[in-house]
Amino acid sequence: MAMVATTFAFGLCACSSDDDEPEAAVAEQVAGSYTGDEVMEVMGDGDTNTATYVFTKATDVTVDMTIPATAEGAMALPALPVKGIVLVKGDNTITGTVASYAGTVMNASGAEKSYTVSNLTALFSDKTVVVTYTLKYGNMPFDFVGKFTGTKQ
């Protein structure tokens, strides 16, 4: 009888679920919309706007990001996708980087424009993100330097 009780007790311990829930893929942890302040500078001059950046899961370890449309008139920029941002999880942060991403978009007049986003870093911590990058758009002679700080919605 003692042997049966011991086997039963150990059986219950072995069947209990002490394992933690598996952690979601890093891309799932950061995917979503973030709203906050965006600063776009050209030659040191810039404006601060409220913007929403969207991150979508591409793979378990990469996300795609959309830089929202900004400004008006001659300085208008359409929404610009940046694909394949590689994520690395640290202790309390997740960092995403892209050395360079080139793409094309249609502007408001229907013309195709090329763009390159380089030196992109996205630092995710809790429900916030800080994104910095350099943007070359079309034939504009100067690069834009972008910085966005937002909170996940």
Side-chain angles (χ1 to χ4, degrees):
M1 186 66 107
M3 195 165 168
V4 170
T6 303
T7 303
F8 183 71
F10 283 120
L12 286 178
C13 291
C15 293
S16 70
S17 179
D18 290 337
D19 296 335
D20 292 332
E21 289 293 317
E23 187 173 59
V26 290
E28 289 175 12
Q29 293 177 42
V30 302
S33 298
Y34 294 76
T35 299
D37 293 331
E38 174 189 60
V39 178
M40 292 290 276
E41 293 182 353
V42 177
M43 296 179 55
D45 288 331
D47 291 325
T48 301
N49 302 304
T50 299
T52 299
Y53 279 52
V54 177
F55 294 86
T56 55
K57 177 183 173 184
T59 69
D60 283 349
V61 295
T62 63
V63 290
D64 297 339
M65 177 184 81
T66 302
I67 300 171
T70 187
E72 296 176 8
M75 293 297 286
L77 297 174
L80 304 170
V82 180
K83 298 183 179 191
I85 299 170
V86 178
L87 302 170
V88 176
K89 184 168 175 108
D91 289 335
N92 296 318
T93 61
I94 296 172
T95 304
T97 57
V98 166
S100 184
Y101 177 82
T104 57
V105 291
M106 299 297 264
N107 68 8
S109 346
E112 187 173 77
K113 294 284 187 173
S114 63
Y115 67 96
T116 303
V117 174
S118 57
N119 303 316
L120 183 139
T121 300
L123 181 62
F124 298 90
S125 178
D126 294 321
K127 299 253 182 219
T128 62
V129 66
V130 176
V131 181
T132 57
Y133 57 89
T134 303
L135 169 64
K136 174 73 173 156
Y137 180 72
N139 293 324
M140 290 187 170
F142 302 105
D143 292 344
F144 290 91
V145 176
K147 182 174 182 180
F148 171 74
T149 304
T151 304
K152 193 172 190 179
Q153 303 305 300

